[in-house]
Amino acid sequence: MRKKRIAVVTSTFFPAIGGSEIVAYNISLSLRDRGYEPYLIVNFKNYVYFLRKKINVKLLPLPPLILSRLEKNPRIVLFFI
């Protein structure tokens, strides 16, 4: 049986600092331990940073500067997400 995939979205991702980012990271680890396949969807800058850190969760990057365009054109941004 295939693992169910779950996406956890956060606009920033710094699990060493805390806040909502650490919650998203902990939720992903908990889901992975229960047999799911979690993916953290993060902004591109943090994706490049965490490729070097080798964290235990799969990361999917958003295109650069996509979240700053949310107010101007939300339909296009939601399409990319």
Side-chain angles (χ1 to χ4, degrees):
M1 188 161 151
R2 290 184 61 188
K3 290 183 178 182
K4 291 184 180 180
R5 296 179 183 169
I6 296 179
V8 180
V9 181
T10 180
S11 62
T12 60
F13 186 69
F14 293 108
I17 294 175
S20 63
E21 297 81 21
I22 191 70
V23 171
Y25 180 69
N26 288 337
I27 288 172
S28 298
L29 292 179
S30 176
L31 289 169
R32 189 194 64 199
D33 293 342
R34 293 178 184 202
Y36 293 95
E37 189 176 352
Y39 290 88
L40 274 174
I41 300 175
V42 298
N43 67 22
F44 188 76
K45 178 181 175 184
N46 294 331
Y47 174 75
V48 172
Y49 175 77
F50 276 98
L51 280 179
R52 291 183 249 134
K53 292 289 183 180
K54 297 183 180 179
I55 63 170
N56 299 330
V57 178
K58 295 179 182 177
L59 297 173
L60 296 174
L62 289 173
L65 303 174
I66 193 70
L67 293 176
S68 64
R69 307 284 189 257
L70 186 60
E71 288 182 13
K72 295 178 184 174
N73 207 338
R75 287 186 181 178
I76 290 176
V77 173
L78 293 175
F79 172 76
F80 278 109
I81 291 175

